[in-house]
Amino acid sequence: TDVHELFTNTKSDLGPNAYVVDDHAREEYLGLPDHEKERLGYEAMLHDKLRELVRGCDRIVSRNREKLRAEMARAQRARG
């Protein structure tokens, strides 16, 4: 399954996948020696993309945590 298809039409929609998903090419890649995989750089690119996605999620969590704190403070002040 292409991860770009998992969250379609949600706030977490990743948009269309800019890369071709080909199961045959994946099997061929998995059969390559490690030095060839490293030369192609796919795993480094994937690592960078995943790090970018995690940073985005962390920003959303942080922003929502701040909103919750502000709302709780407002509710506390309203109660007196």
Side-chain angles (χ1 to χ4, degrees), residues 8-67:
T8 304
N9 299 323
T10 70
K11 286 183 179 182
S12 298
D13 191 333
L14 298 174
N17 189 348
Y19 302 96
V20 174
V21 177
D22 182 336
D23 289 332
H24 176 71
R26 180 181 182 278
E27 290 302 319
E28 184 179 336
Y29 174 81
L30 292 174
L32 293 174
D34 288 342
H35 71 276
E36 189 65 16
K37 289 178 186 175
E38 189 172 326
R39 184 186 71 76
L40 292 171
Y42 170 73
E43 291 177 10
M45 182 178 67
L46 176 61
H47 184 263
D48 291 344
K49 180 63 177 177
L50 292 173
R51 198 171 6 187
E52 173 190 324
L53 291 171
V54 168
R55 274 196 308 267
C57 290
D58 287 345
R59 279 192 300 272
I60 290 168
V61 168
S62 179
R63 188 170 44 238
N64 286 334
R65 193 174 281 145
E66 287 304 316
K67 286 179 185 178

